Amino acid sequence: MMDKKNKSSIISRIKWEFVLYIMEDSVASMKAESTLRQICDRYLSGQYKLTIVDIDDESAQIPPDIYAVPTAVRIFPRPEMRVIGDLSAISKTLKGLGLEELQLLNKINSDI
Amino acid sequence: MKALKKESRNPTKNGTKIQSAVDRLKTGIEGFDELFGGGIAKGRGLLVTGTAGTGKTVLLNEFLYRGIQSFTQNGVFVTFEERPDDIIRNVSSFGWDFSALIEQDNLAIVDCTQQSVPVLQSGEFSWDVLISRIEKMIKRVDAKRVAIDSIGTAFVRFSQVVDEQKVRELLFLLMDKLKAMNVTVMISGEKTARDAALSRYGIEEFVSDGAVTLELHSGQNKTIRIMSVIKLRGLDYRSGKVEYEISPSGLTVFPKIPVDINVAETNFDVRLKTGINELDQALRGGIPQGHVMLIAGNTGVGKTLLGMQFIYQGLNDGEKCVFVALEEPIQQILKTANAHGWNFEKYQKKNELIFIREGLLDISTDQLLYRIVRAVERINANHVVIDSVSSLESSSMDRNKVREFLIQASTFFKTRGVTCYMNYLSGDTFGAGVGQLLGSLTTNEMRLSSIVDGIILMRYVERDESIHKMLNIFKLRGSDHNRNILHYEIKRGGIKLGERFKAK
């Protein structure tokens, strides 16, 4: 069985990938972007890639099942997960992006 | 009718009859536009509600299809319910090739069904992506019509993720956007059998300006589909329930005919020949134009033959005729006609004679009336024989509907100056006893007598140990007529009228 510290370091070594669909000049979109960056910095120790896609950008490929802005999508690791909204409900955001476990581990680590 | 049109074009200032500024859009669905008095409100939303299996999606699909085919108005289908592939497959059974229409940019489907990825909501968001996607599609195909299927599934699909208030907001925003783009929208909504109210999610009434409800009822042998318009903001509509049908070519609605009781294109001076000289004389020249005649008599007495003779005479005079055959197959009628030397097929081929045949189980009077009206209008017929009204009565589930049918039919005939025979089977005979020549009319005939303009009674009578056939013109509105009881015989060439019957 793997000890906690080991598991945490493995997870944090994974390169996480997110896409955030936004609309320029929208308060919710700006809020979502800064919140997502904060979360990533805090729990993923900077090991992530975040792509911002403006839905009004003609060249952008918007998947047909994206309905709302802002929508945050976890591309990697699989499976894909999504959260729509400005991400202000932190625990829901973490749950929706599959980061709950990290939050827990982080807490334990800081306790040690 | 003419007067009405004039009035609506020039609304009076103190106006009891000011027409609203709402334009109408013809859907092209058979009978549907008549139900709405000429079309649905243009640039507005129409809600289509009904339980599962009533054909809401068919109606929506046909709305778009007819728009493209008949009016070169392109369409966008927004689906929360079926996947685009399923929609395309389902409509192909009606012969509608949606994939080709999509390829030619006449039609676009906005797929809102996909939700393979788990989604959660966290905080505020807007529906801009979806709304602008629909907007772009409408602009791309230059759509004039939009169908949304359906309110219920939009809720089911999204309410797991976002709260119901947000789904409401989506539908409000969408309808607002569509209204601003001046497209005409049909949006479907679910209804459970127990829901009495139109509105289930509390928004249906707000997103639409009109509503039509589809229902299923079980008849004795088949399912009966009923459609009714609930409300139509700013426009008149035909009230009441009408039947509709989903056939291999789509939806057909059988609206009741507008009854304008003030119009009658009848002229009593114009007489139509019956095909029997002696009868014409007894009628003082023939049947007055626009009269609805009730031909009452027992089985085998020659009612059908009298009708056929009337039709044959009409055809020979260059008139167009419709024969409604409810009693016997058309082939049998043609054989009988041939036996009398009347070639009906010739006229049938020339489209001067139309036979209407209807199955007698759970017969729909709405459908029958609609078919008669269509046939009369198509060839501009002015002779109609309905053989017989009594078979309609015995096969219909509802006697009142038959009466309604007769009133509607006779009013329609009068507005067009169509002369009609309605055959009626009655078991009553002339009184058999001496001095009791005329038996009492049955109550049914009396009940019908206010609807018809004339009654001819055909009766058997037993005299000198044999059965004789007697005829009497019992009633002929607006005209003198022979009041005697007259002998007749059936021979090759039809009915031959003879001497006055003398009581011994």
Side-chain angles (χ1 to χ4, degrees):
Chain A
M1 216 177 117
M2 215 180 270
D3 68 88
K4 283 165 188 166
K5 195 153 189 179
N6 225 338
K7 193 178 175 186
S8 162
S9 62
I10 289 168
I11 291 171
S12 59
R13 262 186 276 123
I14 299 171
K15 185 84 176 171
W16 292 71
E17 258 188 79
F18 300 95
V19 177
L20 181 65
Y21 295 93
I22 58 132
M23 198 170 56
E24 218 179 341
D25 302 333
S26 124
V27 176
S29 291
M30 287 189 269
K31 205 164 157 188
E33 187 180 342
S34 76
T35 306
L36 187 56
R37 283 196 195 280
Q38 275 175 38
I39 288 170
C40 290
D41 287 339
R42 179 159 177 208
Y43 297 112
L44 305 173
S45 26
Q47 293 293 303
Y48 68 91
K49 185 186 165 200
L50 172 59
T51 314
I52 309 287
V53 177
D54 188 334
I55 58 140
D56 290 325
D57 180 356
E58 294 293 328
S59 63
Q61 290 284 323
I62 317 283
D65 53 350
I66 298 287
Y67 304 117
V69 275
T71 300
V73 183
R74 185 183 95 180
I75 302 289
F76 190 84
R78 293 277 163 198
E80 198 177 309
M81 294 173 97
R82 290 176 190 174
V83 178
I84 61 176
D86 61 15
L87 309 181
S88 58
I90 299 293
S91 61
K92 266 195 157 178
T93 306
L94 293 173
K95 191 181 171 202
L97 294 175
L99 297 170
E100 268 176 319
E101 210 180 340
L102 287 179
Q103 183 191 26
L104 194 68
L105 285 168
N106 226 37
K107 196 167 184 292
I108 292 163
N109 286 344
S110 61
D111 283 352
I112 296 166
Chain B
M1 216 145 161
K2 275 171 200 160
L4 238 162
K5 262 182 201 161
K6 202 181 269 173
E7 207 171 342
S8 59
R9 241 184 271 124
N10 307 309
T12 48
K13 267 182 189 162
N14 52 0
T16 45
K17 194 74 192 177
I18 289 184
Q19 200 86 353
S20 72
V22 181
D23 286 334
R24 288 179 195 269
L25 177 110
K26 275 200 190 305
T27 63
I29 300 165
E30 206 178 345
F32 193 76
D33 297 320
E34 283 97 321
L35 180 65
F36 287 85
I40 63 174
K42 194 176 176 182
R44 304 272 186 108
L46 179 74
L47 175 68
V48 179
T49 66
T51 52
T54 48
K56 299 186 293 291
T57 309
V58 178
L59 181 61
L60 262 57
N61 280 316
E62 188 163 1
F63 170 63
L64 297 182
Y65 180 75
R66 299 285 167 219
I68 297 164
Q69 290 295 329
S70 314
F71 303 98
T72 58
Q73 294 171 352
N74 289 344
V76 167
F77 197 106
V78 180
T79 176
F80 295 96
E81 180 129 10
E82 288 175 305
R83 297 288 183 97
D85 286 351
D86 293 327
I87 294 172
I88 291 166
R89 196 172 37 246
N90 290 342
V91 300
S92 69
S93 64
F94 294 107
W96 308 336
D97 189 351
F98 271 22
S99 352
L101 295 177
I102 291 168
E103 224 158 83
Q104 295 153 20
D105 265 347
N106 293 124
L107 178 73
I109 300 178
V110 181
D111 182 7
C112 305
T113 64
Q114 290 182 33
Q115 215 164 40
S116 44
V117 182
V119 184
L120 278 184
Q121 184 198 351
S122 166
E124 227 355 84
F125 68 94
S126 84
W127 291 106
D128 287 316
V129 185
L130 186 52
I131 306 260
S132 78
R133 185 174 300 143
I134 294 167
E135 187 183 359
K136 272 179 202 158
M137 280 298 193
I138 291 170
K139 283 182 178 158
R140 209 181 93 196
V141 303
D142 187 25
K144 298 283 180 276
R145 302 181 178 207
V146 172
I148 303 169
D149 193 29
S150 69
I151 292 174
T153 40
F155 272 92
V156 171
R157 228 161 252 290
F158 288 122
S159 61
Q160 290 156 1
V161 180
V162 304
D163 51 64
E164 286 207 347
Q165 200 45 48
K166 282 303 272 189
V167 186
R168 265 186 209 111
E169 184 192 298
L170 166 66
L171 293 168
F172 275 121
L173 288 170
L174 183 56
M175 293 308 289
D176 266 356
K177 173 61 84 181
L178 296 175
K179 236 173 239 184
M181 297 181 82
N182 201 29
V183 292
T184 308
V185 184
M186 247 190 221
I187 182 165
S188 60
E190 284 69 13
K191 213 179 162 215
T192 59
R194 276 180 298 160
D195 285 344
L198 184 64
S199 191
R200 192 172 176 198
Y201 290 95
I203 57 151
E204 284 87 342
E205 302 203 289
F206 299 102
V207 299
S208 63
D209 294 296
V212 58
T213 296
L214 311 182
E215 291 165 57
L216 289 176
H217 293 279
S218 29
Q220 283 163 340
N221 293 288
K222 65 174 183 184
T223 305
I224 294 163
R225 298 173 184 275
I226 305 279
M227 183 183 286
S228 47
V229 182
I230 305 296
K231 60 168 196 144
L232 203 61
R233 230 170 265 166
L235 285 181
D236 287 338
Y237 62 92
R238 197 82 45 77
S239 60
K241 298 184 170 206
V242 300
E243 290 185 30
Y244 70 99
E245 175 186 84
I246 299 173
S247 71
S249 59
L251 211 107
T252 306
V253 184
F254 305 99
K256 294 190 174 56
I257 321 179
V259 176
D260 191 342
I261 50 169
N262 296 316
V263 175
E265 296 288 326
T266 55
N267 185 353
F268 292 172
D269 294 336
V270 177
R271 299 291 175 128
L272 278 75
K273 291 202 175 105
T274 62
I276 305 163
N277 285 336
E278 299 81 4
L279 185 57
D280 289 341
Q281 281 162 28
L283 290 161
R284 306 289 181 255
I287 313 265
Q289 186 208 60
H291 263 33
V292 173
M293 299 293 294
L294 186 74
I295 316 295
N298 212 331
T299 179
V301 85
K303 299 185 298 293
T304 306
L305 202 61
L306 194 74
M308 286 161 68
Q309 246 173 310
F310 175 57
I311 292 280
Y312 193 67
Q313 181 66 43
L315 291 168
N316 274 330
D317 291 343
E319 308 282 10
K320 312 285 188 296
C321 306
V322 172
F323 194 101
V324 184
L326 304 176
E327 295 266 322
E328 47 189 326
I330 292 160
Q331 283 308 319
Q332 202 171 310
I333 292 169
L334 293 175
K335 268 181 205 162
T336 312
N338 279 328
H340 286 282
W342 308 328
N343 187 354
F344 277 163
E345 276 131 318
K346 184 176 84 188
Y347 294 101
Q348 222 182 337
K349 277 186 197 120
K350 284 198 286 182
N351 234 352
E352 292 176 1
L353 169 66
I354 293 180
F355 281 102
I356 293 174
R357 170 97 180 127
E358 192 86 46
L360 283 183
L361 289 174
D362 281 330
I363 199 166
S364 156
T365 51
D366 282 351
Q367 293 190 22
L368 180 62
L369 183 60
Y370 190 75
R371 290 183 64 188
I372 294 172
V373 167
R374 276 287 142 106
V376 166
E377 284 176 345
R378 204 169 81 218
I379 60 172
N380 200 18
N382 56 7
H383 287 55
V384 174
V385 170
I386 300 174
D387 186 42
S388 67
V389 171
S390 27
S391 56
L392 200 59
E393 253 183 0
S394 59
S395 61
S396 167
M397 297 180 304
D398 188 347
R399 295 218 146 187
N400 279 329
K401 288 216 77 168
V402 175
R403 191 177 156 77
E404 193 180 289
F405 164 85
L406 293 174
I407 293 171
Q408 294 256 333
S410 66
T411 312
F412 168 73
F413 293 148
K414 282 196 202 325
T415 60
R416 291 186 67 98
V418 171
T419 310
C420 175
Y421 277 22
M422 288 182 179
N423 290 346
Y424 193 87
L425 178 74
S426 69
D428 208 33
T429 53
F430 285 123
V434 175
Q436 197 203 346
L437 284 174
L438 189 64
S440 61
L441 284 170
T442 65
T443 38
N444 270 328
E445 284 159 350
M446 293 306 275
R447 208 168 59 103
L448 293 171
S449 93
S450 63
I451 299 168
V452 300
D453 302 297
I455 301 178
I456 294 177
L457 301 174
M458 297 170 84
R459 295 293 192 246
Y460 290 118
V461 67
E462 192 189 325
R463 281 292 183 273
D464 307 327
E465 289 167 6
S466 65
I467 305 275
H468 296 258
K469 295 194 183 77
M470 311 286 167
L471 178 150
N472 171 255
I473 301 159
F474 189 72
K475 162 181 172 178
L476 192 65
R477 224 172 244 170
S479 170
D480 182 34
H481 58 88
N482 187 332
R483 283 160 211 279
N484 293 330
I485 296 172
L486 304 162
H487 264 292
Y488 71 91
E489 279 177 79
I490 296 174
K491 291 181 174 165
R492 191 186 136 82
I495 288 171
K496 297 275 182 291
L497 214 60
E499 289 292 291
R500 177 182 168 190
F501 179 77
K502 290 186 189 74
K504 282 183 184 168

